[in-house]
Every structure is written in structure tokens, then in C-alpha cells.
């Protein structure tokens, strides 16, 4: 017997079925592979900088082969990953990857940095993006003149996205200057980005689920209610999608640059020729129920199978 076991770290305050069913799905998949997987919530272990608390945290993961970090508590993740490194416990995804993918501005910054010095054909195609200037939560934006630079760069409509957000719920479309100012004032000091509106991809995109450097599943998402977003939560529909070699290579390359062991890459359509080719967003803790329901691929099984393979590889190298 391999005697492989680990914990999935979850957020104590995201306990609706939309979240908990993914945890249970992953636990069931681990059971299929005769591996143990137990839930450990961030509020149960906390992030504390004391030797006594370090002992408690170490005790909580004693005997683990791996940690599946399904939260975005970055401070706790850094502490936990450091302890795992000391004890030879594998950690998925790396906390740096989780942090970069959680912040849309950092995702684009990382990919932009990778593009520097590369030939055009080797670069990751990105949606033209501008990060909002930093302000403070208690001040907000007292001067909106910087929006002149945004509107000089992008014509209306302009997409505005909060840096931290999921399911398309923190994404807005400004049709004119008045709407843009209203959105910005409403956001206050919330970090956000501005993006060029890709008309050809309005209301549609492709999501590719990456596991272990391979495309595990892909689906086409499309809105039929006029919404420019293609998120299932906002009412979009899905259907299985057969990605081209170039789409697969782009998604796998993007995931690799960001250090993803598994996650999703969303691609937009640059034209009406039928193939997606612009990176829109990347998710480290992507909800996989929709893509599993759509394609019939059990993504949880793919993730657990990959983790177990890495644990075995790690043991063989010791």
C-alpha cells in the first residue's frame, strides 16, 4: 500500500454547496485511489508567528504526503508551504501561483514579464490591459483625470474588472465616460484593471482545464441573454469543445509560466475565424463542476491522479 494521505485546505467562510461539493468530490476521488484526504479549514489552523503555534500547525499535517491548497488565504498558505517544504510534503498549487492567479493584475504582469524580449510568435497574446493607479480605501479616487489616459488607449465600451473576483460577478462594462466614472467611484479603493473590449468574443469564450501540463477538458461558454460575460454563474450556457493544437499549446504554456499544477485558462476569440487565441483569465482553484458536467470528464479524478503520481515520484527520488 502507498499509504498516501493529505489535507485539502479550504476557507471556513465559503461553506455553501457551490464550494463544499468540490471538496467532497475531491475526497471521493482520493478514496477511489485509496488515498486519504481530509478537509482542514483556514480558521481552524490560523496563521500565527510563534513557535508554539508552529508546533500545532506541524502536528496538524503530521504524516501527510501532500497538501491540496484550495483557499486564497495567502499568508496562511506561505506559512504552511514553508513547513511542508521542511518536511518533504508536496504542496499544490504553490502559494506564489495561487497569489498571482488570484490577482488579475498580477496574472497579466507575470505573463507580460515573460513576453519581454520574445519574438512576437512566441509571446502569450493578452487582452490589452491597464492597471488602475493605487489609492487608499479611505480616500478612493479624488481626481478622475487619469481616466483620460484610459479612454485615449481604449475606445468605448471598456471592460472594468476588480482584481479579486470570481464567476464574472466583479466585471463591468462601461459604455461611455459617465458610466466609467460611476463604476470607478463605486469601486473606491478596490484594486481593478481596465481592458479593451474584444467585440468578436463578446458573450463567448473557451475554458481549458489543465492538469499536469495537459488539457484535461475543454468547453465553449456562450451567453444567449446579451450579457458580454460568458460565466455560467451569470447565465451562460456550455457545450463540449475540441480545442485545436494551437489552443492547447497556448493554454498549457500559460499554465506553465504561472506555475500551475492544475487550473483553468480562459481564452477569447480575436476574430470570427472560429479559434480562440487571447488569454483572458487564469484560475488556480477553478471550480470544475460545470466543465465536468459539460464534458463528462471527472476533473477531480484527474487532479488526484496527478497528485498521487507526484507523491510517488517524490518518494522514488528520496
Amino acid at each position: 500500500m502507498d499509504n498516501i494521505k493529505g489535507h485539502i485546505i479550504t476557507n471556513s467562510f465559503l461553506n455553501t454547496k457551490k464550494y463544499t461539493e468540490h471538496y467532497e468530490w475531491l475526497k471521493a476521488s482520493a478514496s477511489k485511489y485509496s488515498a486519504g484526504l481530509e478537509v482542514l479549514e483556514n480558521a481552524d489552523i490560523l496563521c500565527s508567528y510563534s513557535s508554539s503555534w508552529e508546533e500545532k500547525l506541524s502536528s496538524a499535517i503530521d504524516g501527510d504526503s501532500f497538501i491540496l491548497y484550495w483557499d486564497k488565504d495567502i499568508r496562511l498558505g506561505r506559512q504552511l508551504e514553508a513547513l511542508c517544504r521542511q518536511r518533504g510534503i508536496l504542496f499544490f498549487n504553490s502559494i506564489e501561483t495561487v497569489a498571482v492567479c488570484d490577482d488579475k493584475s498580477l496574472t497579466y504582469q507575470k505573463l507580460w514579464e515573460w513576453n519581454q524580449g520574445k519574438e512576437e510568435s512566441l509571446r502569450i497574446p493578452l487582452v490589452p490591459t491597464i492597471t488602475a493607479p493605487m489609492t487608499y480605501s479611505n480616500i478612493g479616487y479624488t481626481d478622475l483625470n487619469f481616466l483620460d489616459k484610459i479612454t485615449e488607449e481604449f475606445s468605448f465600451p471598456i471592460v472594468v474588472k476588480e482584481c479579486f473576483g470570481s464567476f464574472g460577478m466583479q466585471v463591468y462594462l462601461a459604455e461611455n465616460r459617465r458610466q466609467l466614472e460611476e463604476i470607478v467611484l463605486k469601486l473606491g479603493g478596490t484594486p481593478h484593471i481596465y481592458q479593451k473590449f474584444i467585440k468578436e468574443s463578446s458573450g463567448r469564450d473557451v475554458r481549458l482545464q489543465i492538469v499536469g501540463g495537459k488539457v484535461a477538458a475543454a468547453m465553449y461558454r456562450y451567453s444567449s441573454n446579451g450579457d458580454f460575460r460568458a460565466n455560467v454563474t451569470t447565465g451562460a450556457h456550455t457545450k463540449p469543445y475540441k480545442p485545436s493544437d494551437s489552443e492547447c499549446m497556448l493554454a498549457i504554456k500559460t499554465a506553465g509560466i504561472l506555475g500551475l499544477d492544475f487550473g483553468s485558462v480562459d481564452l477569447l476569440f480575436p476574430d470570427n475565424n472560429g479559434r480562440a487565441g487571447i488569454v483572458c483569465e487564469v484560475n488556480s482553484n477553478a471550480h470544475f463542476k460545470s466543465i465536468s458536467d459539460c464534458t463528462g470528464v471527472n476533473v477531480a479524478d484527474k487532479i488526484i491522479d496527478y497528485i498521487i503520481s507526484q507523491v510517488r515520484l517524490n518518494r522514488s527520488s528520496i
Side-chain angles (χ1 to χ4, degrees):
M1 294 292 290
D2 284 332
N3 190 28
I4 295 175
K5 72 183 188 75
H7 281 95
I8 176 172
I9 309 301
T10 67
N11 191 283
S12 300
F13 314 103
L14 296 177
N15 51 19
T16 62
K17 183 181 178 182
K18 186 170 189 173
Y19 294 92
T20 58
E21 65 184 351
H22 285 79
Y23 315 151
E24 294 303 318
W25 203 338
L26 287 161
K27 286 177 62 178
S29 292
S31 181
K32 287 183 191 177
Y33 288 87
S34 300
L37 182 63
E38 296 298 326
V39 172
L40 195 56
E41 297 182 357
N42 68 327
D44 290 335
I45 50 180
L46 301 178
C47 176
S48 177
Y49 308 106
S50 67
S51 57
S52 61
W53 196 261
E54 182 179 326
E55 291 176 5
K56 293 178 183 179
L57 192 55
S58 297
S59 177
I61 61 174
D62 184 47
D64 278 359
S65 311
F66 67 91
I67 292 293
L68 176 52
Y69 203 77
W70 212 265
D71 193 18
K72 297 177 181 179
D73 189 330
I74 304 303
R75 293 173 181 82
L76 172 63
R78 287 197 173 114
Q79 187 178 38
L80 190 55
E81 186 177 34
L83 291 175
C84 286
R85 193 179 300 115
Q86 294 171 17
R87 289 156 178 74
I89 300 171
L90 299 186
F91 195 95
F92 306 92
N93 283 292
S94 78
I95 203 62
E96 177 63 22
T97 294
V98 173
V100 169
C101 291
D102 187 38
D103 185 333
K104 294 176 178 62
S105 64
L106 291 184
T107 302
Y108 269 74
Q109 185 175 66
K110 182 84 171 179
L111 294 172
W112 176 86
E113 288 174 355
W114 191 91
N115 280 344
Q116 299 313 295
K118 304 287 193 309
E119 295 180 11
E120 188 68 31
S121 61
L122 299 177
R123 294 183 179 184
I124 300 296
L126 302 172
V127 180
T129 300
I130 299 174
T131 299
M134 194 278 282
T135 185
Y136 299 90
S137 58
N138 63 325
I139 295 177
Y141 291 104
T142 57
D143 185 339
L144 296 179
N145 286 335
F146 72 91
L147 291 178
D148 293 341
K149 298 179 177 64
I150 309 297
T151 56
E152 287 171 8
E153 184 70 19
F154 306 140
S155 58
F156 287 105
I158 294 173
V159 177
V160 183
K161 293 181 180 179
E162 295 182 30
C163 287
F164 303 96
S166 303
F167 312 116
M169 303 307 293
Q170 291 84 20
V171 180
Y172 318 95
L173 190 67
E175 299 282 0
N176 51 53
R177 178 61 178 252
R178 178 184 59 79
Q179 289 184 5
L180 182 61
E181 291 183 357
E182 288 176 352
I183 292 170
V184 173
L185 290 174
K186 182 178 179 180
L187 290 177
T190 303
H192 62 279
I193 59 176
Y194 306 92
Q195 292 188 315
K196 178 181 179 181
F197 178 65
I198 309 298
K199 181 180 178 181
E200 293 80 4
S201 203
S202 179
R204 66 188 187 120
D205 69 9
V206 172
R207 168 161 289 191
L208 292 92
Q209 191 80 29
I210 309 298
V211 180
K214 299 177 182 177
V215 175
M219 67 178 174
Y220 176 73
R221 304 189 299 184
Y222 61 99
S223 172
S224 60
N225 60 8
D227 198 318
F228 75 101
R229 298 166 296 181
N231 301 83
V232 174
T233 301
T234 61
H237 305 285
T238 66
K239 62 182 181 181
Y241 185 80
K242 184 174 176 57
S244 65
D245 289 345
S246 62
E247 288 169 325
C248 288
M249 288 174 60
L250 175 57
I252 291 170
K253 186 175 181 179
T254 298
I257 293 168
L258 297 176
L260 279 172
D261 290 295
F262 40 79
S264 66
V265 179
D266 297 340
L267 303 179
L268 300 183
F269 295 88
D271 49 46
N272 293 314
N273 291 331
R275 287 300 175 186
I278 304 175
V279 173
C280 178
E281 290 186 14
V282 182
N283 298 281
S284 62
N285 298 352
H287 281 221
F288 48 77
K289 184 179 188 303
S290 293
I291 199 166
S292 292
D293 289 345
C294 174
T295 64
V297 176
N298 190 324
V299 173
D301 280 358
K302 297 284 187 181
I303 291 173
I304 295 299
D305 181 56
Y306 171 75
I307 287 175
I308 290 175
S309 72
Q310 294 305 296
V311 170
R312 289 173 176 163
L313 184 63
N314 183 55
R315 287 178 176 178
S316 67
S317 65
I318 297 175

